[in-house]
Amino acid sequence: MMQQRHQQILPVATLLLTGLLALWAYWPGLSGGFLFDDLGSLPALGAYGPVTHWDTFWRYITSGTADPTGRPLAMLTFLLDAHDWPANPLPFKRTNLILHLLNGVLLYLLLARLGKFLGIEKRRSSVAASLGCALWLLHPLMVSTTLYVVQREAMLATVCTLAGLLLWLHGRHRLCEGRLKSGMMWSVLGLGGFTLLGTLAKANGALLPLYALLIEIVLLRDRHPVRPHASRRAYRWTMAVLGLLPALALIGYLVKAGAQGLMTGGPVGIRSWSIGQRLLTEPRVLMDYLQLLWLPRPFSSGLFNDQYVASSSWLHPAITLPSTLAVCSLIAVAWWQRRWHPAFALALLFYFAGQLLESTSLPLELYFEHRNYAPALLMFWPLGLWLTDTCRLKIFKVSLVVVLPLILATITHARAEVWGDVRTQGLVWAKINPASPRAQANAAEIEMENDRPLAAINRLEVSLAAHPEQSQLVFNLIDARCMVGGVGMTDTDAARKAMQSTTSTGTLFVRWFEHALPIAISERCPGLDLATLQSFIDAGLHNPRLSAANSQQDLTWLRGRIALAEHQPDVALIEFERALDMQIRPAFALQAAATLGAAGYPPLGLQLLDHYQLVKGNITHAQVSMSMLHEWVLERQNYWQDELARLRATLQTDTTTQYPSVPAANQKHP
């Protein structure tokens, strides 16, 4: 009786201690700030006003653009931390840490369940599950997911994956007992319902059926078949419809994307590499990931991995072919050993299956540490099983059971300290990634914020010499030059060259322009005037890689801003109308008309709105996706109609106030 009670208390106590150790390890990182993609996704919290009532809730929850689904489940959870933007990062990071701990509990339950299927003694199975869970939960590689706020998307998809697998296994167990109705219900809920939920958090949730198939083939089919005839037939249909078909559809989609990329040579103008080069590169990336998992270190490259060089052939770099052979060999060995070493085989196959979406044919960036979060779930379980088999090397193995989690927690604590200090974080990453333009630009910004412009200049000049096409480097360099006296022709020439050759400016150039325009108008920085800004824009407009409608619209919009600054409102109106025609959006029409009105030309703002009314019938509507639903929500709420009417009324009032003697129909600017 006492022994049985002890066996029940031990897992709970172990999980509690592991959780406390994880809290200690991650605590320093909670004081960190928002980073990188956080600043691209989280401002949606305030894009349509504070999320304080149902109208703003529906506008916000449908505003996601990542994946066709928009990831609304992840967006929903951000409301736990803030209802407006800007916001305090602490609540976001705290919620992420809670989710990480929850995933640890779910992982323990899954590993303990899988251990039973291996026929292992219950106590050993429980300890092995605890150790496998602890090594994953405390691993420093998970810091770049847990403390990176926007990667809550990956964490929520993992919650759904683990919960879905547990429910499916519960349903399968009931089917084995002949409970057809309840077994089917739990199986369908686990495989169907939680795949859907996981996909609404991030597309990685769609991998759940593939994970279930691997567990079925490697661990369950031969050892624990579903025997009652009716249950077996129902189970086969369930696995075919909710397991095999979704998995095949996903693999087919990736194959199609790869084939199209190979044929077109894409992604043209988006990345500096082709799909073929990406496919050659990813085996190297996967081997690097495995090295980080099995040889953890206090510091890593973090979020800045743009220096990772794509493979151009099997031998360039030379590690390309060996890495590809190594990945293929690991998969082949795992498949071959599935009968004799099922835990080892399942852990490896699970890992590579988890990398399918982000490390194959989709034109995502080459390398990110957070892509290991879900794939590595089972990675340390085989080690846990080996260490808990104390027939041999008992003292050595028991020592490792205690020491390994403590070592990982210590390394994670050191890494979390870096994540908890934005200044230290930026400088450490810049030192680790000397060839990364993003890391050097980020470090230079930190140095300028700390009144060290000369250090920023030295850093940026070195990086710019190696990456002259990187606009983020040259515009930061101009900022630093302005802090120490002025901009020279060498700097402006470098800026024009970067704008002519960059693959994408994203929102970087627009954001930089917004703070550079007042400086140019006031002539506070010698060498940076309106004509210079105009030359940067013109260089971008002649860059064939910036030919996409959104890039052209942004640059044309900025030409209009310069025309306003030069007191040429008619030219500004022409540029704004031209920009609007490139991509007809009510948000842009509002922004352009409001800008004209704020500059003192409300009649031209009204003309801009009139032009929008003429061309709005040519709006290209979103395809079937969350963006389409977002358009429907805004239309149903008359959001744009009300905003346009409100702005029109304001502009008409301003026009009447400024030009009272001119009939409204004939009002022009002075």
Side-chain angles (χ1 to χ4, degrees), residues 88-207:
N88 180 4
L90 175 60
F92 292 87
K93 292 180 181 286
R94 184 176 57 212
T95 303
N96 274 24
L97 180 54
I98 293 171
L99 283 173
H100 187 52
L101 296 175
L102 172 61
N103 278 326
V105 173
L106 293 174
L107 177 58
Y108 166 77
L109 295 174
L110 178 64
L111 295 180
R113 187 99 191 195
L114 295 178
K116 291 180 181 179
F117 295 125
L118 290 176
I120 298 172
E121 182 262 326
K122 185 175 181 180
R123 183 174 179 277
R124 180 190 167 198
S125 174
S126 176
V127 175
S130 298
L131 185 58
C133 161
L135 296 181
W136 177 85
L137 190 69
L138 299 169
H139 200 287
L141 195 61
M142 307 309 157
V143 170
S144 59
T145 306
T146 307
L147 296 180
Y148 187 11
V149 172
V150 78
Q151 286 311 316
R152 182 178 303 177
E153 299 161 346
M155 301 177 76
L156 282 169
T158 303
V159 170
C160 294
T161 295
L162 289 168
L165 290 174
L166 285 167
L167 292 176
W168 161 66
L169 288 172
H170 178 65
R172 191 184 188 281
H173 176 68
R174 285 182 167 263
L175 286 171
C176 289
E177 295 178 336
R179 301 181 187 181
L180 181 60
K181 187 175 180 180
S182 62
M184 286 294 295
M185 181 189 72
W186 288 112
S187 297
V188 171
L189 177 62
L191 283 184
F194 276 81
T195 296
L196 177 60
L197 277 176
T199 306
L200 292 177
K202 193 175 183 180
N204 304 61
L207 291 166

Side-chain angles (χ1 to χ4, degrees), residues 45 48-57 79 83-84:
L45 284 161
Y48 295 97
V51 186
T52 55
H53 52 84
W54 283 111
D55 282 352
T56 52
F57 171 81
L79 291 176
H83 294 134
D84 200 1

Side-chain angles (χ1 to χ4, degrees), residues 327-386:
V327 169
C328 293
S329 299
L330 286 172
I331 295 172
V333 167
W335 184 257
W336 173 49
Q337 289 291 315
R338 69 189 186 280
R339 294 181 182 274
W340 299 280
H341 299 95
F344 162 79
L346 181 59
L348 268 183
L349 294 173
F350 193 100
Y351 177 79
F352 288 116
Q355 295 287 356
L356 272 177
L357 269 176
E358 295 180 306
S359 300
T360 54
S361 59
L362 299 184
L364 307 171
E365 294 203 32
L366 296 175
Y367 187 113
F368 273 123
E369 292 177 358
H370 62 251
R371 292 174 183 169
N372 292 278
Y373 191 77
L377 284 169
L378 307 189
M379 183 62 68
F380 307 107
W381 181 46
L383 177 61
L385 290 169
W386 180 75

Side-chain angles (χ1 to χ4, degrees), residues 286-577:
L286 291 175
M287 294 307 296
D288 285 349
Y289 289 162
L290 288 172
Q291 184 184 54
L292 289 174
L293 283 167
W294 287 104
L295 297 173
R297 61 197 71 164
F299 309 116
S300 67
S301 58
L303 303 186
F304 299 117
N305 298 288
D306 50 318
Q307 79 282 5
Y308 206 94
V309 178
S311 297
S312 57
S313 72
W314 291 111
L315 299 177
H316 295 88
I319 195 67
T320 302
L321 181 58
S323 296
T324 304
L325 293 175
V327 169
C328 293
S329 299
L330 286 172
I331 295 172
V333 167
W335 184 257
W336 173 49
Q337 289 291 315
R338 69 189 186 280
R339 294 181 182 274
W340 299 280
H341 299 95
F344 162 79
L346 181 59
L348 268 183
L349 294 173
F350 193 100
Y351 177 79
F352 288 116
Q355 295 287 356
L356 272 177
L357 269 176
E358 295 180 306
S359 300
T360 54
S361 59
L362 299 184
L364 307 171
E365 294 203 32
L366 296 175
Y367 187 113
F368 273 123
E369 292 177 358
H370 62 251
R371 292 174 183 169
N372 292 278
Y373 191 77
L377 284 169
L378 307 189
M379 183 62 68
F380 307 107
W381 181 46
L383 177 61
L385 290 169
W386 180 75
L387 289 175
T388 53
D389 182 6
T390 55
C391 295
R392 298 178 181 177
L393 305 173
K394 182 175 181 178
I395 296 177
F396 173 72
K397 289 183 177 180
V398 171
S399 300
L400 286 180
V401 167
V402 176
V403 169
L404 284 179
L406 294 176
I407 291 174
L408 289 180
T410 303
I411 297 174
T412 297
H413 186 272
R415 187 173 295 193
E417 285 183 322
V418 172
W419 278 73
D421 184 337
V422 173
R423 181 179 180 277
T424 301
Q425 185 181 47
L427 296 178
V428 167
W429 284 349
K431 186 175 182 180
I432 293 174
N433 306 303
S436 165
R438 287 178 187 164
Q440 301 310 317
N442 180 64
E445 288 178 5
I446 291 171
E447 287 167 334
M448 284 186 279
E449 289 170 2
N450 287 273
D451 200 26
R452 298 180 60 208
L454 291 177
I457 289 171
N458 291 335
R459 178 186 301 279
L460 292 166
E461 285 181 334
V462 171
S463 188
L464 190 60
H467 305 280
E469 79 289 352
Q470 289 291 330
S471 56
Q472 59 189 324
L473 295 173
V474 73
F475 291 120
N476 276 349
L477 179 59
I478 288 175
D479 288 341
R481 294 285 193 201
C482 286
M483 292 179 69
V484 297
V487 179
M489 288 191 62
T490 303
D491 303 316
T492 55
D493 288 344
R496 282 186 286 272
K497 182 177 179 181
M499 288 296 290
Q500 288 170 350
S501 57
T502 185
T503 56
S504 173
T505 61
T507 60
L508 181 145
F509 181 64
V510 175
R511 285 190 283 109
W512 178 82
F513 180 91
E514 291 298 334
H515 89 84
L517 182 60
I519 296 173
I521 293 173
S522 63
E523 299 181 348
R524 297 199 306 267
C525 178
L528 184 65
D529 53 23
L530 293 176
T532 302
L533 291 181
Q534 182 75 63
S535 70
F536 297 162
I537 297 168
D538 291 343
L541 286 169
H542 289 90
N543 181 351
R545 295 185 174 187
L546 300 181
S547 60
N550 58 334
S551 297
Q552 291 288 301
Q553 184 178 59
D554 286 343
L555 294 171
T556 305
W557 154 256
L558 297 182
R559 283 174 61 95
R561 294 289 305 279
I562 289 180
L564 273 182
E566 293 175 334
H567 307 292
Q568 300 178 31
D570 288 325
V571 175
L573 177 62
I574 292 171
E575 296 291 356
F576 288 166
E577 288 180 348

